[in-house]
Amino acid sequence: MIKFFRRIRQKLLTENKFSKYFLYAIGEIVLVVIGILIALQINNANEERKTRRAERSYLVRLVEDLEENKGLWSERYTIEENRLKAANAFINYSFNEDKDAIKNVIPYFNSVSTWEDLHINQVTFKEMVSSGNFDLISNDSIKFKLQNLEKTYQTILNRWDTTKKNLLEVLSDIIIKKVNFLYSYPIDPSHKQILSKNFTQAEKEYYFSEIMKQFKVLFDDPLFMNIMTLINTNAPLDLKEYKQAEEQVTELINLIKADLKTDN
């Protein structure tokens, strides 16, 4: 092709057709420019496809993380709701003159005495931010909602850290010091395989009465009841934030899935 254009130029020059040569030269330049523009456009299109593939990969992973967190917030809401119910049951018991009613509140005990740490899946989001790839997200609404969700997470994590240190860890320490759970083994059928001795009904009733005495002492402890009061005070806000996080996550999942569908 290059030789073809060269022969045309040489022929026009030898025939002294300078005006035609000039027009031809301009035309050739235009063709070269058009070729360059087409090449640039193709290259840009290729780069855009590569960028979109990378963005899509992140979006798919974000959905997976968000789906996991959606389940987390639903679970945490239920846990905190049960903790609040337990605290309220203990507060009501403390004002009850019939102390034998303790049998009615013991089933709530697990809800305040056990807790798991809070682990939010932010692997993909943090990877995008740390690698400088957050701007790969082309949908501004998705970026904005991801940033808002991060703020919600930080608020929840800060509150959880305070609750864990000032309430739950203190509560665990009080319970360990006040209640001898070894007494529960003879009266709990699930522990039968651990014990070599078969306890009589009278012995089971004795251990049951002993552990009930310890629970009564526990519920008379001002620090224990202060923690129940604080749980009662703090839980509504925790529940509100967990529900807010779940709603934000659900909205983000739907938004990202809609964005991914535009590729189909």
Side-chain angles (χ1 to χ4, degrees):
M1 182 65 72
I2 296 174
K3 290 182 179 179
F4 173 75
F5 285 121
R6 186 181 298 140
R7 283 199 297 269
I8 293 175
R9 288 198 303 271
Q10 289 175 347
K11 183 178 180 183
L12 290 172
L13 286 171
T14 55
E15 293 178 358
N16 292 325
K17 296 179 179 179
F18 292 105
S19 59
K20 289 183 178 181
Y21 173 78
F22 181 72
L23 291 174
Y24 167 79
I26 293 175
E28 188 174 337
I29 292 170
V30 170
L31 286 174
V32 171
V33 170
I34 291 173
I36 292 171
L37 291 174
I38 292 172
L40 287 173
Q41 190 172 9
I42 292 172
N43 184 63
N44 289 339
N46 289 335
E47 288 300 319
E48 287 176 4
R49 280 194 291 272
K50 288 180 183 178
T51 300
R52 179 55 180 172
R53 280 198 297 270
E55 179 189 5
R56 183 182 176 84
S57 175
Y58 277 124
L59 291 175
V60 169
R61 289 172 56 195
L62 279 170
V63 168
E64 292 174 354
D65 292 355
L66 290 167
E67 291 281 10
E68 181 180 327
N69 289 335
K70 183 179 178 181
L72 168 69
W73 296 125
S74 177
E75 180 184 343
R76 297 299 292 209
Y77 187 93
T78 301
I79 291 172
E80 199 59 41
E81 192 174 41
N82 290 336
R83 201 192 316 275
L84 176 59
K85 289 178 182 177
N88 289 343
F90 295 152
I91 290 170
N92 284 327
Y93 169 77
S94 68
F95 289 102
N96 193 335
E97 293 182 1
D98 179 15
K99 294 307 178 184
D100 287 334
I102 191 171
K103 296 177 185 178
N104 298 326
V105 299
I106 291 302
Y108 289 100
F109 193 71
N110 267 350
S111 295
V112 295
S113 62
T114 59
W115 51 275
E116 294 181 5
D117 218 340
L118 180 57
H119 298 290
I120 306 172
N121 188 342
Q122 293 178 281
V123 173
T124 304
F125 177 80
K126 288 184 175 180
E127 179 184 321
M128 293 177 68
V129 172
S130 63
S131 63
N133 287 330
F134 186 69
D135 285 336
L136 283 176
I137 305 297
S138 57
N139 188 316
D140 289 337
S141 294
I142 293 176
K143 290 172 70 174
F144 178 74
K145 290 183 185 300
L146 280 170
Q147 290 168 329
N148 274 351
L149 182 60
E150 168 65 10
K151 292 177 184 177
T152 299
Y153 283 174
Q154 286 306 312
T155 299
I156 291 173
L157 286 169
N158 290 339
R159 184 181 299 282
W160 169 250
D161 189 56
T162 300
T163 299
K164 182 177 67 172
K165 289 180 179 178
N166 298 335
L167 295 184
L168 300 180
E169 289 180 358
V170 175
L171 180 62
S172 296
D173 187 57
I174 296 171
I175 293 170
I176 289 171
K177 290 177 179 177
K178 297 284 184 180
V179 181
N180 186 354
F181 287 100
L182 187 63
Y183 289 166
S184 68
Y185 275 67
I187 59 178
D188 189 340
S190 66
H191 295 148
K192 187 175 181 179
Q193 70 277 11
I194 301 175
L195 303 171
S196 57
K197 172 179 169 54
N198 290 323
F199 291 87
T200 65
Q201 186 60 32
E203 287 174 322
K204 290 179 181 179
E205 289 176 1
Y206 167 77
Y207 285 114
F208 179 77
S209 65
E210 287 300 306
I211 200 169
M212 286 301 104
K213 289 177 185 176
Q214 293 184 27
F215 275 122
K216 287 179 182 178
V217 171
L218 180 66
F219 294 147
D220 287 336
D221 186 285
L223 185 54
F224 179 84
M225 292 311 302
N226 281 342
I227 292 176
M228 294 304 106
T229 305
L230 287 171
I231 289 174
N232 173 270
T233 303
N234 295 341
L237 183 55
D238 291 332
L239 290 171
K240 181 180 178 181
E241 289 176 346
Y242 292 163
K243 181 61 68 175
Q244 178 187 351
E246 185 179 0
E247 290 172 354
Q248 285 181 259
V249 166
T250 301
E251 189 177 358
L252 247 175
I253 289 172
N254 293 335
L255 188 60
I256 293 174
K257 285 183 175 179
D259 187 88
L260 289 170
K261 284 182 180 178
T262 60
D263 293 337
N264 298 333

